[in-house]
Amino acid sequence: MKDMLCKRVVDLKPSGIRKFFDIVNEMPDAISLGVGEPDFDTPWHICDEGIYSLEKGKTFYTSNSGLMTLRQEICAWYERKYGVVHNPKTECLITVGGSEGIDLALRALINPGDEVIVPEPCYVSYVPCAVLAGATPVTISLKNENSFKLTEEELKAAITDKTKVLILSFPNNPTGAIMTKEDLLPIAKLCIEKDIIVISDEIYSELTYGDEPHFSIASLPGMSERTIVVNGFSKAYAMTGWRLGYALAPEIIAKEMTKIHQFAIMCAPTTSQYAAVSAIREGDKDIARMRESYDKRRKYLLSKFEELGLPCFEPYGAFYVFPCIERFGMTSDEFATKLLMEQKLAVVPGNAFGDCGEGFIRISYAYSIEELMEAMGRIENFINSL
């Protein structure tokens, strides 16, 4: 039977995150800081709209692209935030989470032999989705000393005559790194010169800290026509289980993405779409409230790392920190395993997000301050024992 399986799938490595979660689930008194999921409940006005849609019998398929009302709200929101105009009829697609948007974009663009540039450390799905689409992934190892930002020199060195797509994911999972307008200008210039399509995963766009808000590469001159923006409701609105995302893309690309979505999915969950209308219309205050709480947790962890002598650059996005553990003489996997077994605390080894994540661990602060304080106490005990 093994010979009947798709070799491309068989050769994929399972997610490096899952094994720690499986152990934690069977370990009493364990604390997990590994899940990238908001600890907040979905705001009530969003839930209420979903419930109302059920009560009114709105339980049928929507169009393949999604509710027109929702697409209109998304395009208006994106124009208001970033000044980029998309046609809700032809350039917006509602997806089952942001992850489906990534998959659809790659499958709509890739021919055998095409190369996809993936800066790492990064979300665990990019390389597998590229492989499953038939692409050759080309990874770039981002550097701690550059605050894990992609530089013009690094991108230039990775481009070949087979390069078709660059995946950008800022704010970044797992590092929390961001890229400003000044950082993105030379990247955009190269993509235009080399005729490269950008898939910009902006799922953490609303969770940025400091003085500068998120900046989208699609808003730079010449980029909206070569950028697929992937975003969603999971992180900013605490709607992970609602499984709702969206893609904004040039019409010629959006049409092919919709075709794949039509055959594979039909449409995103109807109840979730009605709820999302309320989220995007009335959710700015919810985002601000949650972002303020995340920022306090972020600052707490950074101060504790400094107190413990654990090097960590300051992240300005998402809800992750990426401290360096090289001085302990263990691999990331060894450190995470030993911490879990001795202190019942789960973190994610950095190499789960690419080989260049070796020597780091990812800690999520999408947990209460009380949980984080207990967790940092366990880390302090563990470090002292070493």
Side-chain angles (χ1 to χ4, degrees):
M1 184 59 71
K2 187 176 180 180
D3 292 339
M4 303 294 288
L5 298 173
C6 173
K7 188 176 186 304
R8 189 182 293 169
V9 176
V10 171
D11 289 345
L12 285 179
K13 294 180 181 178
S15 168
I17 300 175
R18 297 314 313 176
K19 73 172 185 177
F20 289 91
F21 294 163
D22 294 340
I23 296 171
V24 167
N25 289 336
E26 299 178 6
M27 185 179 287
D29 304 321
I31 296 176
S32 173
L33 299 184
V35 181
E37 181 171 43
D39 63 320
F40 297 97
D41 292 333
T42 303
W44 175 247
H45 67 94
I46 298 173
C47 297
D48 194 38
E49 191 63 33
I51 293 168
Y52 182 75
S53 74
L54 293 172
E55 291 175 338
K56 291 297 181 180
K58 298 177 180 179
T59 56
F60 301 95
Y61 295 131
T62 67
S63 74
N64 296 133
S65 296
L67 284 173
M68 177 54 71
T69 303
L70 178 56
R71 285 183 277 152
Q72 289 170 337
E73 291 290 342
I74 288 169
C75 291
W77 180 87
Y78 198 80
E79 182 179 2
R80 171 169 58 86
K81 296 278 287 189
Y82 304 112
V84 182
V85 177
H86 291 88
N87 186 332
K89 292 183 179 180
T90 58
E91 298 180 318
C92 181
L93 169 64
I94 309 302
T95 60
V96 182
S99 296
E100 192 208 354
I102 298 292
D103 181 45
L104 292 177
L106 286 167
R107 286 202 278 168
L109 290 168
I110 295 303
N111 288 309
D114 289 340
E115 292 180 351
V116 174
I117 295 178
V118 184
E120 294 182 331
C122 68
Y123 177 51
V124 296
S125 291
Y126 300 143
V127 168
C129 282
V131 170
L132 290 172
T136 301
V138 176
T139 59
I140 297 175
S141 297
L142 304 184
K143 297 177 178 60
N144 187 17
E145 55 265 33
N146 294 332
S147 297
F148 293 106
K149 296 182 179 188
L150 175 64
T151 68
E152 178 184 9
E153 294 73 25
E154 289 169 332
L155 178 58
K156 190 177 295 185
I159 294 173
T160 72
D161 58 359
K162 295 181 180 180
T163 302
K164 180 177 277 187
V165 174
L166 165 66
I167 299 180
L168 288 179
S169 57
F170 295 95
N172 180 266
N173 171 14
T175 65
I178 63 167
M179 289 187 69
T180 65
K181 179 180 179 180
E182 290 68 31
D183 298 323
L184 289 168
L185 279 168
I187 303 300
K189 185 172 181 289
L190 260 179
C191 289
I192 293 170
E193 287 176 359
K194 300 296 184 179
D195 196 23
I196 296 170
I197 299 294
V198 173
I199 299 175
S200 183
D201 185 350
E202 302 181 15
I203 193 70
Y204 294 100
S205 63
E206 301 313 291
L207 302 181
T208 57
Y209 318 100
D211 298 329
E212 294 190 50
H214 172 70
F215 186 88
S216 175
I217 194 170
S219 62
L220 291 173
M223 288 306 296
S224 63
E225 54 264 46
R226 63 175 59 255
T227 301
I228 303 167
V229 174
V230 175
N231 207 324
F233 297 84
S234 294
K235 312 300 183 179
Y237 299 97
M239 293 178 66
T240 51
W242 296 78
R243 303 313 304 131
L244 202 71
Y246 59 87
L248 299 170
E251 180 178 353
I252 191 170
I253 301 175
K255 179 181 178 181
E256 303 309 313
M257 291 174 64
T258 303
K259 190 188 300 180
I260 303 167
H261 174 79
Q262 178 185 63
F263 290 127
I265 300 294
M266 178 64 77
C267 67
T270 302
T271 304
S272 300
Q273 292 191 55
Y274 280 106
V277 172
S278 179
I280 207 159
R281 281 178 178 170
E282 305 169 37
D284 285 358
K285 60 184 182 299
D286 302 309
I287 293 172
R289 171 177 56 86
M290 290 186 275
R291 182 171 54 228
E292 182 180 4
S293 179
Y294 290 138
D295 195 22
K296 290 177 181 177
R297 304 174 197 184
R298 178 184 73 98
K299 291 174 179 175
Y300 167 73
L301 288 180
L302 290 173
S303 68
K304 287 298 294 184
F305 290 147
E306 185 176 4
E307 184 182 311
L308 296 174
L310 203 60
C312 183
F313 90 102
E314 183 170 2
Y316 284 99
F319 38 54
Y320 309 104
V321 287
F322 207 56
C324 179
I325 50 90
E326 287 179 339
R327 69 183 177 91
F328 299 107
M330 289 184 279
T331 67
S332 297
D333 200 76
E334 288 169 346
F335 185 96
T337 300
K338 195 174 177 66
L339 176 62
L340 179 58
M341 295 306 172
E342 294 187 8
Q343 294 293 328
K344 296 185 177 181
L345 176 64
V347 299
V348 182
N351 61 355
F353 307 97
D355 291 342
C356 65
E358 183 57 68
F360 298 84
I361 56 172
R362 190 194 77 172
I363 293 175
S364 168
Y365 50 90
Y367 297 88
S368 70
I369 195 69
E370 291 78 18
E371 286 179 289
L372 293 175
M373 291 174 71
E374 172 63 26
M376 290 307 295
R378 297 187 186 191
I379 288 179
E380 183 172 8
N381 292 337
F382 180 63
I383 289 175
N384 289 338
S385 75
L386 297 177

